[in-house]
């Protein structure tokens, strides 16, 4: 039936004169069929004759490696975690974890709202296109086919083997996952507030993903082609991990890269002539609207002098004993009414620009088929679905492209100022608007695919022959030779401090282009791109080292805030001997981190965060300021004393290295933290323990990809830092992690000849009926 519907859709579009860029190849025997070939490290290369078969093969391969992660997430999306795991246990959301009951109320409210059904009823580009529908249906059936063949009791992963909560998934589950991914930086940050919990700290407390990205043009590369570095910093556990895959329909699609769990498309990748990646953007995805409640009727609010009643949504969650926990939620014309900030006179509603966005997956699929940047831009202009990311891309012709082609609410600076209202929680002051007048509704651009967002003509974009780069800074310093300015503040602010990680990124590029980084003649090759990306420089140490050594020369004994006298000679010797790189054996790297992190703490309760920089930030010199250390400031001297005392009092060696302090599945992990200015960023959820260990690494470089788009075909190196499979008993659970620890990369096999030449090649053909 699904096949007939898809064929009818294609014929109807053709009759209307609307034909997709690549009409899907349709099987004529009513069955799925796909070949799965696995090369080194278990990397799957899936090929089929149509999109349904491709999705079937992909879903089957993914289930072989990671079924338990998606099975658990489906329980989350259905709002059933309380029933299976208890209402107070923490949810499995790696970005915005909350109590299971809160999670269930939120996801039940999304499912019961009918938003996915309404989107599926619309044609592309607002609703999904035929190719994507085929991929989703096939992926679901492939996953379910693997589960049926294997059986829940015989699953290879002990995490969910024999568990009652494991079962078949549906296409609705996958569509809900795609919607939730798009809401990750907006509505999904407000789970507690939407579910009726008033979280005191506000949504800004959530864990944010990050990334590095370079698109290099012909003026920056030795051979004159395009090159790309992708280095997304996404969670190392759970549903937001990347899965490495190649997806091929001969003559139609051939794309390789990283695909987030539970999605049937490649989010970061390349084909034969074009490569792209993403970084998380600073642009705003939502606004709050303050509602003026009607006196005596707190369930109604005023708009333009009239009265509007709030909508009611009754949500029911099943608990482990079979009883029902009910919750009444409220909605407005702007979106859900939040618990935060509500009084008898005012309430706040969330307007989410991604509340009904399923367009991103179609956009990624169209980008995967794009042969050059012109076609990639056309794909982005058509779908306008990138929920929260910048795009950086390059092609074989050697152009480098940056765009914040993401979904941004249409709020001009004038409107934001005119409509501004007080915020119910800290950190959202710039994005609270007056809900009592329609004059404060989001505007609309003529080239926007849906109302209320900025269209492509308003987006920050830059195309260069040398390079574009981003490390989660705003668009301003995409390329210092061509600063981007003049955009509404909702996109992020220009002329603001880039931060040490963006600065070290731009410095790495500048040194490579001048040949001053010790890697040979100027200009990028694939090999020097890899070497630069893995340099592990700690930029704050580089900027402060001279002043730090001056502090060390000034005295041998310092005093902590509690009055302890500390001999810092051994610590100074360690820091003096460290080369400033966060390698596994970097003696001094952890001592510097503990000292530098201590500098950022308030000196007294209620005081602002202390700035240790000797030379403050100057927007006229964004790449050379701030710099230096206030080495003669008592706060700095005290911070060093306390860092050294912390090591000595707990018996931790001052020479502690990243390889000793940072682990993932017992494997030592190099790198340093965001605040230190590290391109090779890692993050751990907790402080250094008395045993000289941090909690396990849970965020950092995830799927790294270096691509050289030479005219002879792409040459690519990759590393999936946490490896292909979450199954602790899989041979591919930590094999790439061990390689990453050693600084290694995987040589990608993209062409048929490269795949066939792998001595470890394994092939299977999977097939099944289309329902």
């Amino acid at each position: 039936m699904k096949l007939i519907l898809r064929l009818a859709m294609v014929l109807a579009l053709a009759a209307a004169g609307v034909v997709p860029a690549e009409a899907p190849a349709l099987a004529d025997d009513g069955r799925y069929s796909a070949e799965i070939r696995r090369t080194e490290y278990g990397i799957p290369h899936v090929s089929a004759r149509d999109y349904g078969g491709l999705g079937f093969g992909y879903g089957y391969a993914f289930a072989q490696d990671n079924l338990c992660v998606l099975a658990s997430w489906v329980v989350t999306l259905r709002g059933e975690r309380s029933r299976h795991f208890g209402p107070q246990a923490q949810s499995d959301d790696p970005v915005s974890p909350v109590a299971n009951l809160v999670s269930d109320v939120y996801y039940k409210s999304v499912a019961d709202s009918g938003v996915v059904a309404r989107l599926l009823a619309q044609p592309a580009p607002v609703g999904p296109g035929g190719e994507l529908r085929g991929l989703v249906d096939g992926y679901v059936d492939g996953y379910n086919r693997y589960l049926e063949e294997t059986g829940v009791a015989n699953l290879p992963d002990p995490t969910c083997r024999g568990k009652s909560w494991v079962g078949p998934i549906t296409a609705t589950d996958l569509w809900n996952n795609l919607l939730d991914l798009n809401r990750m930086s907006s509505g999904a940050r407000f789970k507690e507030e939407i579910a009726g919990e008033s979280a005191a700290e506000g949504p800004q407390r959530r864990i944010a993903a990050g990334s590095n990205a370079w698109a290099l043009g012909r003026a920056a590369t030795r051979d004159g082609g395009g090159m790309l570095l992708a280095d997304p910093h996404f969670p190392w556990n759970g549903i937001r991990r990347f899965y490495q895959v190649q997806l091929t329909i001969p003559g139609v699609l051939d794309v390789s890269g990283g695909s987030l769990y539970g999605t049937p498309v490649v989010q970061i990748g390349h084909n034969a002539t074009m490569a792209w990646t993403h970084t998380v953007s600073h642009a705003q995805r939502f606004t709050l609207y303050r509602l003026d409640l009607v006196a005596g009727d707190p369930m109604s609010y005023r708009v333009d002098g009239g009265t509007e009643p709030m909508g009611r949504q009754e949500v029911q969650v099943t608990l482990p004993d079979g009883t029902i926990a009910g919750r009444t939620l409220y909605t407005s014309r702007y979106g859900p009414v939040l618990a935060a900030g509500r009084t008898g006179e005012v309430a706040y509603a969330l307007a989410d620009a991604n509340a009904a966005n399923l367009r991103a997956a179609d956009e990624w699929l169209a980008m995967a088929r794009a042969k050059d940047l012109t076609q990639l831009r056309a794909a982005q202009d058509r779908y306008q679905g990138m929920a929260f990311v910048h795009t950086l891309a390059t092609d074989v012709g050697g152009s480098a492209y940056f765009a914040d082609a993401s979904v941004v609410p249409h709020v001009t600076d004038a409107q934001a100022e005119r409509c501004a209202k007080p915020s119910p929680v800290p950190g959202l002051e710039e994005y609270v608007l007056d809900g009592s007048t329609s004059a404060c509704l989001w505007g609309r651009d003529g080239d926007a695919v849906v109302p209320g967002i900025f269209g492509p003509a308003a987006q920050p974009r830059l195309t260069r022959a040398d390079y574009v780069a981003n490390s989660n800074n705003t668009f301003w310093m995409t390329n210092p030779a061509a600063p981007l300015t003049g955009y509404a503040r909702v996109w992020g602010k220009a002329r603001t401090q880039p931060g040490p990680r963006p600065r070290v990124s731009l410095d790495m590029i500048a040194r490579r282009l001048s040949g001053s980084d010790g890697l040979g003649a100027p200009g990028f090759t694939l090999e020097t791109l890899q070497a630069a990306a893995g340099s592990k420089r700690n930029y704050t140490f580089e900027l402060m080292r001279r002043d730090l050594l001056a502090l060390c020369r000034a005295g041998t004994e310092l005093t902590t805030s509690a009055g302890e006298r500390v001999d810092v000679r051994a610590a100074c010797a360690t820091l003096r001997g460290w080369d400033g790189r966060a390698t596994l054996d970097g003696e001094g790297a952890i001592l510097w981190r503990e000292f530098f992190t201590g500098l950022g703490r308030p000196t007294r309760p209620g005081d602002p965060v202390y700035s240790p920089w000797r030379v403050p930030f100057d927007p006229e010199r964004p790449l050379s300021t701030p710099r230096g250390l206030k080495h003669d400031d008592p706060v700095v001297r005290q911070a060093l004393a306390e860092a050294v005392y912390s090591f000595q009092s707990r018996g931790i060696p001052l020479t502690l290295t990243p390889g000793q302090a940072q682990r993932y599945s017992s494997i030592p992990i190099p790198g340093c933290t965001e605040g230190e200015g590290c391109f090779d960023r890692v993050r751990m959820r907790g402080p250094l323990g008395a045993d000289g260990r941090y909690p396990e690494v849970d965020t950092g470089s995830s799927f790294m990809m270096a691509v050289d788009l030479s005219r002879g075909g792409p040459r690519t190196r990759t590393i999936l830092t946490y490896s292909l499979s979450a199954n602790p008993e899989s041979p591919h659970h930590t094999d790439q992690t061990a390689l990453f620890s050693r600084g290694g990369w995987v040589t990608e096999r993209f062409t048929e000849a490269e795949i066939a030449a792998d001595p470890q090649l394994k092939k299977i053909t999977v097939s099944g009926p289309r329902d």
Side-chain angles (χ1 to χ4, degrees), residues 311-510:
R312 293 169 60 97
Q313 185 183 30
E314 303 296 334
V315 176
Q316 294 186 330
V317 174
T318 303
L319 301 178
D321 61 0
T323 60
I324 301 297
R327 191 73 60 89
T328 301
L329 308 184
Y330 298 95
T331 62
S332 70
R333 63 155 62 186
Y334 306 105
V337 178
L338 307 180
R342 183 159 185 168
T343 69
E345 298 178 346
V346 300
Y348 292 84
L350 173 68
D352 181 358
N354 286 306
N357 177 14
L358 278 181
R359 304 183 302 278
D362 268 306
E363 189 168 327
W364 277 312
L365 185 57
M367 288 165 61
R369 292 192 300 251
K371 294 178 172 59
D372 54 31
L373 292 182
T374 298
Q375 293 185 8
L376 180 140
R377 285 191 293 265
Q380 295 203 311
D381 290 353
R382 171 170 166 75
Y383 292 102
Q384 301 172 32
M386 292 293 102
F388 53 85
V389 291
H390 301 128
T391 300
L392 293 89
T394 187
D395 58 20
V396 71
S399 292
Y401 168 73
F402 165 88
D404 191 342
S406 61
V407 179
V408 176
H410 193 295
V411 180
T412 65
D413 292 351
Q415 184 184 29
E417 183 175 350
R418 171 171 47 84
C419 295
K421 290 293 180 180
S423 173
V425 293
L428 296 178
E429 288 79 8
E430 294 184 66
Y431 305 106
V432 183
L433 306 179
D434 185 355
S436 69
T437 170
S438 57
C440 293
L441 290 171
W442 297 349
R444 177 171 186 174
D445 283 342
D447 58 346
V449 70
V450 292
I453 66 173
F454 281 108
Q459 296 167 349
R461 297 192 182 197
L462 182 65
T463 301
R464 300 277 299 180
D466 51 359
Y467 71 90
V468 292
N470 188 267
S471 291
N472 304 119
N473 45 310
T474 67
F475 50 81
W476 179 40
M477 285 284 104
T478 295
N479 185 306
L484 293 173
T485 58
Y487 298 95
R489 288 196 304 270
V490 72
W491 291 98
K493 295 179 180 178
R495 297 177 61 79
T496 56
Q497 186 172 326
R501 180 163 61 92
R503 282 179 63 189
V504 76
S505 171
L506 294 170
D507 187 69
M508 290 158 66
I509 295 173

Side-chain angles (χ1 to χ4, degrees), residues 558-641:
L558 300 175
T559 306
T560 69
S561 59
E564 294 96 348
R565 302 287 293 175
V566 181
D567 187 331
V568 298
R569 285 177 293 182
C572 285
T574 296
L575 293 169
R576 187 181 298 112
W578 180 42
D579 65 0
R581 297 180 184 264
T583 53
L584 290 179
D585 59 355
E587 295 185 357
I590 305 302
L591 176 59
W592 170 261
R593 179 184 306 166
E594 293 300 301
F595 163 59
F596 182 79
T597 302
L599 289 172
R601 298 190 182 109
T603 54
R604 290 192 304 269
D607 283 358
V609 174
Y610 173 77
S611 173
W613 297 104
R614 179 170 50 81
V615 179
F617 173 67
D618 180 353
E620 300 301 324
R621 297 179 293 162
L623 301 185
S624 60
T625 61
R627 66 177 183 273
L629 175 68
K630 296 175 181 175
H631 59 85
D632 54 355
D633 191 315
V635 174
V636 173
R637 297 167 64 83
Q638 181 179 292
L640 180 58

Side-chain angles (χ1 to χ4, degrees), residues 475-770:
F475 50 81
W476 179 40
M477 285 284 104
T478 295
N479 185 306
L484 293 173
T485 58
Y487 298 95
R489 288 196 304 270
V490 72
W491 291 98
K493 295 179 180 178
R495 297 177 61 79
T496 56
Q497 186 172 326
R501 180 163 61 92
R503 282 179 63 189
V504 76
S505 171
L506 294 170
D507 187 69
M508 290 158 66
I509 295 173
R511 292 192 184 196
R512 178 80 301 269
L513 295 183
S514 68
S516 61
D517 58 359
L519 296 176
F524 282 93
T525 64
L526 183 59
E527 292 69 28
T528 57
L529 178 59
Q530 292 173 252
S535 61
K536 297 179 173 50
R537 291 170 56 188
N538 186 309
Y539 203 48
T540 55
F541 181 74
E542 292 180 21
L543 294 172
M544 293 182 169
R545 185 177 189 275
R546 179 178 299 178
D547 289 324
L548 174 69
L549 297 183
L551 185 159
C552 286
R553 288 192 298 270
T556 61
E557 203 171 61
L558 300 175
T559 306
T560 69
S561 59
E564 294 96 348
R565 302 287 293 175
V566 181
D567 187 331
V568 298
R569 285 177 293 182
C572 285
T574 296
L575 293 169
R576 187 181 298 112
W578 180 42
D579 65 0
R581 297 180 184 264
T583 53
L584 290 179
D585 59 355
E587 295 185 357
I590 305 302
L591 176 59
W592 170 261
R593 179 184 306 166
E594 293 300 301
F595 163 59
F596 182 79
T597 302
L599 289 172
R601 298 190 182 109
T603 54
R604 290 192 304 269
D607 283 358
V609 174
Y610 173 77
S611 173
W613 297 104
R614 179 170 50 81
V615 179
F617 173 67
D618 180 353
E620 300 301 324
R621 297 179 293 162
L623 301 185
S624 60
T625 61
R627 66 177 183 273
L629 175 68
K630 296 175 181 175
H631 59 85
D632 54 355
D633 191 315
V635 174
V636 173
R637 297 167 64 83
Q638 181 179 292
L640 180 58
E642 293 188 341
V644 175
Y645 181 78
S646 175
F647 276 70
Q648 293 176 343
S649 63
R650 295 186 292 175
I652 300 173
L654 296 167
T655 55
L656 185 70
T657 66
Q660 295 165 332
Q662 301 169 176
R663 301 277 169 148
Y664 179 80
S665 293
S666 301
I667 295 173
I669 302 298
C672 43
T673 63
E674 172 82 15
E676 296 172 85
C678 293
F679 194 79
D680 310 73
R681 184 191 115 180
V682 294
R683 177 159 48 193
M684 294 71 63
R685 292 192 191 182
L688 184 68
D691 60 352
R693 294 276 187 91
Y694 292 103
E696 191 165 89
V697 172
D698 73 343
T699 308
S701 296
S702 45
F703 173 66
M704 296 184 70
M705 180 180 73
V707 185
D708 178 6
L709 293 170
S710 66
R711 298 195 180 277
R715 294 193 307 136
T716 307
R717 305 290 182 265
T718 65
I719 187 73
L720 191 61
T721 57
Y722 35 66
S723 303
L724 193 74
S725 176
N727 174 9
E729 297 185 359
S730 167
H732 305 302
H733 180 58
T734 57
D735 52 354
Q736 288 197 60
T737 311
L739 182 64
F740 173 68
S741 176
R742 301 191 301 269
W745 297 69
V746 177
T747 299
E748 183 192 73
R749 296 179 182 272
F750 181 73
T751 68
E752 287 297 310
E754 290 167 342
I755 296 169
D758 181 9
Q760 302 179 37
L761 183 65
K762 297 178 181 178
K763 303 180 187 180
I764 63 169
T765 299
V766 293
S767 61
R770 301 171 188 253

